[in-house]
Amino acid sequence: MAPAAAMADQASPESFAVSMFPVHRSKVIHIVRHGQGFHNVAGEVDHASYTSWDYADASLTDLGWQQSEALHKHLDVTGIKAQVELVVVSPLLRTLQTAAGVWGGATLAEGGVSGGEEVLMVGGLGKAPHAAIAAPKGLKFVANEFCREQNGVHPCDRRSSVSSYKKSFPCVDFSEVGTDEDTWWSETERESAQQLFTRARTFVRWLLNRPESRIAVVSHSSFIFHMCHLFGADCSDVVRKEIQQGFRNCEMRSVVISDRLATGPAKVASTDFKGGLHYNDVSKTDDLPARQIAAEDKSVPHADSLATQEQAGPSFNEQGEEIETHPSAKSQQVSNGKL
């Protein structure tokens, strides 16, 4: 077997085990579990404490705030904070506080705002009050109910009213939360694993439909666990463990998600550059449609070995307009793998 053919055989999809996706079909997601809450402290001593109304919509502990501040410093040192375009947060007090502590701006002195700063979080919330935190310039915060904790039975997972949250977190957008009062939580029925998986799929699709390409998500242990278990089945044990292992309080992991079965226009602007013989003259086009440009090494599969336009269905450009197949596409041939 010729060396090139042997290499192509060894690099079959089944053996190569590496994925490639267009960047404009992908997003970087920084997943964060909230810092330690008072319900976590009680629950570690006695799991039955999770059913106590003493921990309804539990707030962060002093340690939870220290954890948030440590992650905040990590984001500054690594440069991640400057890259993130959107923070998505579960509408419960401990996650909203964590989002403010991790992704927010400076701590504000007593008395509030100075120098034109906006308040992301007011001071004095919860059982371990913290000073007010300024909103960072240019960073959006959006609450989304689909990434809240597993619902039902545990009062710590019952959210407060949106109207009260708006007063406490004035720079967070709560328009994605459907009702003022919590209509999802049930005192008698705990949300099932299957319901969590369904909710997680909805949430991931929502992320993919956002225009931002670098997003932070601040959520909860059980929701994150189920969301991450939607992925990793086709990975090695090492990679699967990196994806699916449970999160500690205020732990962050960064992942990439890609919409590999997309059929419509991409939500994120493409950085691709359309080259070709006449790249600098828009009045001209290459002789062959792009789908028939072949690899020079005939042993390497190229686009023409895939389904034809008629078999695969219509394609779309970045404006969402259907692309017509070149009328002579079926009859044109590529000679010796070159134009």
Side-chain angles (χ1 to χ4, degrees):
M1 183 181 292
M7 289 176 64
D9 181 62
Q10 293 170 8
S12 65
E14 292 76 17
S15 62
F16 193 39
V18 176
S19 300
M20 177 186 286
F21 301 111
V23 169
H24 60 273
R25 300 288 180 185
S26 306
K27 296 178 188 290
V28 175
I29 309 295
H30 303 285
I31 306 171
V32 178
R33 182 190 172 193
H34 63 78
Q36 184 194 65
F38 281 93
H39 67 305
N40 295 136
V41 177
E44 289 173 6
V45 176
D46 181 4
H47 190 271
S49 297
Y50 286 119
T51 62
S52 171
W53 282 94
D54 291 340
Y55 306 106
D57 197 10
S59 64
L60 293 185
T61 64
D62 286 328
L63 176 58
W65 280 113
Q66 294 170 23
Q67 292 168 335
S68 299
E69 290 161 5
L71 179 51
H72 179 101
K73 292 177 182 178
H74 171 75
L75 297 174
D76 275 338
V77 170
T78 58
I80 293 174
K81 190 171 186 289
Q83 298 173 354
V84 168
E85 305 160 82
L86 172 70
V87 177
V88 182
V89 56
S90 159
L92 277 90
L93 181 56
R94 58 190 179 273
T95 38
L96 288 162
Q97 288 180 313
T98 302
V102 171
W103 300 98
T107 297
L108 298 173
E110 188 175 353
V113 183
S114 62
E117 293 173 311
E118 292 186 279
V119 175
L120 175 61
M121 185 194 80
V122 302
L125 301 175
K127 295 181 179 180
H130 188 280
I133 297 175
K137 296 186 183 301
L139 183 57
K140 294 175 287 187
F141 289 77
V142 175
N144 188 308
E145 200 145 31
F146 280 94
C147 67
R148 63 182 288 180
E149 185 56 302
Q150 187 174 9
N151 276 310
V153 181
H154 299 169
C156 57
D157 301 327
R158 184 177 185 269
R159 68 168 173 82
S160 301
S161 67
V162 169
S163 54
S164 66
Y165 286 147
K166 285 181 176 179
K167 295 176 183 177
S168 301
F169 300 91
C171 283
V172 176
D173 179 359
F174 288 94
S175 61
E176 295 286 339
V177 182
T179 59
D180 185 44
E181 298 297 334
D182 190 351
T183 59
W184 287 23
W185 188 84
S186 167
E187 190 169 1
T188 59
E189 186 177 349
R190 189 76 171 155
E191 191 174 17
S192 70
Q194 189 55 51
Q195 288 171 320
L196 265 181
F197 283 129
T198 299
R199 179 150 63 85
R201 289 188 185 94
T202 301
F203 179 67
V204 171
R205 282 292 170 193
W206 182 85
L207 289 176
L208 286 168
N209 282 322
R210 292 289 309 188
E212 300 85 5
S213 60
R214 293 179 179 271
I215 301 172
V217 174
V218 184
S219 186
H220 309 260
S221 60
S222 188
F223 177 81
I224 294 173
F225 181 85
H226 284 80
M227 179 178 70
C228 290
H229 272 72
L230 295 173
F231 308 96
D234 56 348
C235 298
S236 69
D237 289 343
V238 172
V239 175
R240 183 168 61 251
K241 184 177 180 180
E242 290 177 341
I243 295 172
Q244 296 182 350
Q245 185 169 282
F247 276 58
R248 299 179 181 90
N249 283 124
C250 225
E251 180 176 357
M252 183 188 79
R253 294 183 210 157
S254 301
V255 300
V256 177
I257 59 173
S258 297
D259 192 0
R260 61 188 180 87
L261 297 180
T263 57
K267 302 297 181 182
V268 175
S270 175
T271 57
D272 295 350
F273 176 76
K274 297 185 184 300
L277 297 175
H278 309 293
Y279 73 93
N280 59 346
D281 188 347
V282 295
S283 67
K284 297 180 180 180
T285 58
D286 293 343
D287 293 333
L288 293 177
R291 63 176 292 275
Q292 284 204 342
I293 296 175
E296 292 193 11
D297 185 345
K298 295 296 289 184
S299 66
V300 179
H302 51 76
D304 282 348
S305 67
L306 305 176
T308 65
Q309 186 78 9
E310 291 75 22
Q311 292 171 329
S315 295
F316 300 85
N317 61 22
E318 291 185 7
Q319 288 72 44
E321 302 163 337
E322 185 173 335
I323 301 172
E324 290 186 10
T325 304
H326 194 284
S328 58
K330 291 184 179 179
S331 60
Q332 289 176 318
Q333 300 293 325
V334 177
S335 175
N336 297 323
K338 298 182 180 180
L339 294 181

